[in-house]
Amino acid sequence: TITLRSLKDEFNKNLNEREFYFLHSFHCVPEDKKLIISTAFYGEDFCACIKKDNIIGCQFHPEKSHDAGLNIFSEFIRI
């Protein structure tokens, strides 16, 4: 599990310092850094979530992240 570190979006306002399940060591590196709405740290900072227009992508697995994952799904429904 990895803890989200920096949050820049309304979507993530209640998710700071929560632990999420990451399955592998791959991560996206967006050309446009403004798309990054949260980062995580595992030896180095890396992109955990991106958002463009009405699309949000998460590098971690909300369905395997227990209560924190349920909060993500609640936020998806809310927005």
Side-chain angles (χ1 to χ4, degrees), residues 14-79:
N14 296 319
L15 302 177
N16 194 23
E17 299 299 319
R18 301 293 301 269
E19 294 197 5
F20 296 91
Y21 179 78
F22 290 77
L23 180 62
H24 48 70
S25 60
F26 299 110
H27 62 277
C28 71
V29 181
E31 288 181 19
D32 184 355
K33 303 300 184 208
K34 294 177 187 171
L35 298 177
I36 299 172
I37 60 172
S38 64
T39 60
F41 182 83
Y42 188 69
E44 65 180 341
D45 284 318
F46 62 92
C47 174
C49 291
I50 61 172
K51 179 180 178 184
K52 183 172 183 181
D53 301 325
N54 65 339
I55 299 170
I56 296 173
C58 300
Q59 182 66 31
F60 51 86
H61 291 267
E63 76 280 6
K64 295 182 179 188
S65 298
H66 305 285
D67 291 340
L70 290 174
N71 286 337
I72 287 276
F73 288 131
S74 294
E75 289 296 313
F76 280 143
I77 292 167
R78 186 182 65 77
I79 57 173

